[in-house]
Amino acid sequence: MDWTLEVVIVPVSDVDRAKAFYAERCGFRVDHDTVIGPGNRVVQLTPPGSGCSIVIGEGVVPPMPPGSLKGLQLVVADLPQARETLVAAGVDVSEIQLLGPDPGTGRPEDLDNIGFIHFTDPDGNAWAVQQISARGKD
């Protein structure tokens, strides 16, 4: 039996601001933006190439303090390119960090498994982006 992670709820204080951040700055696809009734809205967004989406909203999502989600992680094939894309879109993103021994070769593929960048959304929900070139391709 396969168990797939399909959705992660991300707690935000302003749904429109968060939707704009994820869609316009991070390039997530807006799957749907549904108003179920007064004070009940669900917005689902999916990172490019991902099988897992995030959901932001009000009323029908579990109550969590905005910005309290830490440790979300994306995987990409090319970390320098991902960082460039985020910076160009106005996202405040860290420099590339190595969480392991630096192979010292300067080859981009040597960032696999040890190369990370980090950013937060407008509420402070924290994301890491890791390079794993064999799995990070669309």
Side-chain angles (χ1 to χ4, degrees):
M1 171 181 359
D2 289 339
W3 295 37
T4 61
L5 180 62
E6 299 287 334
V7 172
V8 174
I9 307 293
V10 176
V12 300
S13 60
D14 182 322
V15 176
D16 289 320
R17 179 180 70 174
K19 177 183 173 186
F21 174 81
Y22 287 111
E24 297 167 17
R25 294 197 177 187
C26 297
F28 289 22
R29 179 184 67 243
V30 178
D31 299 319
H32 62 84
D33 184 344
T34 305
V35 176
I36 299 165
N40 291 291
R41 179 180 176 195
V42 176
V43 180
Q44 182 170 325
L45 304 108
T46 303
S50 180
C52 184
S53 301
I54 64 168
V55 166
I56 57 177
E58 60 183 337
V60 293
V61 296
M64 295 182 282
S68 63
L69 195 56
K70 309 296 182 199
L72 292 168
Q73 187 164 318
L74 299 167
V75 171
V76 297
D78 185 330
L79 195 59
Q81 181 182 5
R83 185 178 185 286
E84 266 183 37
T85 299
L86 291 171
V87 168
V91 176
D92 184 16
V93 61
S94 72
E95 296 293 331
I96 293 175
Q97 300 169 348
L98 300 180
L99 300 181
D102 181 355
T105 65
R107 294 186 316 238
E109 62 269 24
D110 288 335
L111 292 174
D112 276 3
N113 302 309
I114 64 168
F116 290 82
I117 55 175
H118 300 88
F119 68 92
T120 59
D121 73 8
D123 284 295
N125 295 298
W127 292 80
V129 182
Q130 179 184 22
Q131 178 171 307
I132 303 177
S133 58
R135 286 192 300 136
K137 296 181 179 174
D138 286 344

